Amino acid sequence: MTTRTARAGLLWFAADRGSWAGWQIRSLLGAPAPGDARLREHLIAGLTNGFSADGSLGEDLVATATAVIQLADLGHRFPTNSPTRRWLLARQSQPGAFHLGCTAARHQHRSCEHFLDGFFSPAPPSSRMAPLTVPNGRTYRLESQARFVSSIIALEAVVRAGWTHELLVERHLDSLASLVDEWSGWGEQLPPDLAFASLAALAAAPERWRPIRDSLVQLVGERQQPDGTWPRVDFFAALDGLCRLPDEAAKAVLRRSASLLKLRQHEDGSFGTISAELRALIAARALHAAGALD
C-alpha cells in the first residue's frame, strides 16, 4: 500500500463494518465510530443469543470457543454456572481428544496420554475433522493437527473466560511444556503453526505458565528469518499468536515482521481476501504491539 499509512488504511477498511472485527480495529486504534457503544451491546446480544440451551453453538467446539473468545474481547463476563462453561469443560479428555491413543511414533514425540492431558475433543474418533480452517485462515489438512488446534482454541476460550482453575485446564496448559522440545525441531509431527496457536492460549494464562510462554517466544524468535517470516509457517497464523502477548520479547519479534506486514497491505486497507476481517485485526494488533502504526 502506498497512498495511505497502515493506520489510515486499517481505519478505512474498518470504517463501516458492523462486525466484531471492525469494532475491535476501531477500538484498538482509538477511533470508535459514533454508534460503537450500541454496536458492542448488539454484538454481545447476537453472540450470546446464538448459544443453544446446552451452552454450545451447534455442538461445534471451534465455533463455540470462538464465540467465547469474541465475547471476552467485547468485555462480556460469563457467570460461574454458565452452560457454555459446563459444555466446554465436559469435552476435555473425551474420546477423540488429540492426546488419546499411544503409538510408538507418538510416544517418541511425547504427544500421547503418557505426557499430555486435558485436551478437548472436537468430535468422536469416527468423525473426520480435517481439513479444518480456523478463524485466522490457516487450514489444517491432517486429522491429528485439526484435533490439536481445535483443542488449543478451546483452551484459549476457557482461559480468556477465567475458567483456568480447573484440574484438566491446568493439565492442558502444563502439557504444552512437554511439546516445547518437539517444536524446537521445527518438525512435521506438530507443525510450528501449532506453537503459535498455543501462544494465543498461553497469553492470558496466569503467571504460573509464563515459563512455557517465554520458552516458546524464544524458540520462535530464534527461528524467525531476516524478512520477518518463519519457514513453513502461515505468516498471519504466526502473528495471531504473537500479537496477544504483552511481553517485550514478543514485541521485539513483531517489530522484525512489521515492515513486511505493511508491504502486504492492499489499497483498501485489507491484507488479502482470506479471512479478510480477522487478518486485518491481526495486522492491527501486531503493528500496534510493535509500535509500528504510523
Side-chain angles (χ1 to χ4, degrees):
M1 190 181 76
T2 58
T3 59
R4 299 188 187 93
T5 65
R7 183 179 187 278
L10 283 162
L11 288 175
W12 176 270
F13 175 78
D16 299 321
R17 295 180 184 269
S19 61
W20 163 78
W23 182 90
Q24 283 277 302
I25 292 170
R26 293 191 296 273
S27 178
L28 178 67
L29 300 185
D36 272 2
R38 292 191 302 275
L39 175 60
R40 174 182 173 273
E41 298 303 319
H42 174 76
L43 291 169
I44 289 173
L47 286 165
T48 54
N49 290 339
F51 292 117
S52 302
D54 67 357
S56 75
L57 280 179
E59 300 186 356
D60 185 313
L61 181 67
V62 173
T64 303
T66 298
V68 171
I69 293 167
Q70 291 178 349
L71 283 164
D73 282 334
L74 290 164
H76 176 70
R77 299 288 184 183
F78 284 86
T80 303
N81 62 348
S82 164
T84 300
R85 174 183 178 275
R86 291 196 298 272
W87 188 88
L88 283 170
L89 295 178
R91 308 274 79 74
Q92 288 191 275
S93 293
Q94 294 300 304
F98 166 82
H99 69 290
L100 298 179
C102 183
T103 64
R106 295 193 68 188
H107 193 87
Q108 179 184 354
H109 291 280
R110 302 172 64 88
S111 59
C112 65
E113 63 261 33
H114 296 107
F115 305 98
L116 311 177
D117 197 7
F119 278 69
F120 295 79
S121 173
S126 57
S127 298
R128 183 162 178 80
M129 290 293 300
L132 174 68
T133 300
V134 298
N136 64 30
R138 169 60 158 99
T139 298
Y140 293 88
R141 302 191 182 281
L142 296 184
E143 188 66 19
S144 62
Q145 295 172 10
R147 288 179 182 270
F148 186 104
V149 77
S150 297
S151 187
I152 291 297
I153 293 170
L155 179 63
E156 180 186 355
V158 300
V159 171
R160 290 290 310 280
W163 303 327
T164 310
H165 301 297
E166 300 284 341
L167 180 59
L168 285 178
V169 175
E170 293 181 348
R171 287 181 176 174
H172 197 337
L173 287 164
D174 289 341
S175 293
L176 298 179
S178 298
L179 300 173
V180 173
D181 286 344
E182 174 62 29
W183 282 316
S184 69
W186 221 248
E188 296 297 331
Q189 178 74 12
L190 285 177
D193 297 65
L194 296 174
F196 290 100
S198 298
L199 281 173
L202 288 163
E207 189 70 11
R208 167 181 163 182
W209 289 278
R210 181 165 183 166
I212 307 174
R213 190 173 81 200
D214 290 347
S215 295
L216 281 179
V217 171
Q218 180 179 351
L219 171 61
V220 301
E222 291 170 350
R223 289 285 184 166
Q224 192 175 25
Q225 300 182 121
D227 67 352
T229 64
W230 290 263
R232 305 195 317 277
V233 173
D234 181 284
F235 187 46
F236 281 88
L239 299 179
D240 190 24
L242 284 164
C243 70
R244 322 289 186 88
L245 299 168
D247 312 328
E248 181 55 37
K251 293 178 181 179
V253 176
L254 289 170
R255 283 194 287 272
R256 296 196 291 270
S257 295
S259 294
L260 178 61
L261 181 55
K262 288 182 178 181
L263 288 174
R264 294 196 176 189
Q265 191 173 25
H266 295 199
E267 284 294 329
D268 66 353
S270 73
F271 291 80
T273 57
I274 297 173
S275 299
E277 287 200 352
L278 186 52
R279 291 198 168 193
L281 175 56
I282 291 168
R285 287 171 168 170
L287 291 171
H288 182 267
L293 281 170
D294 315 273

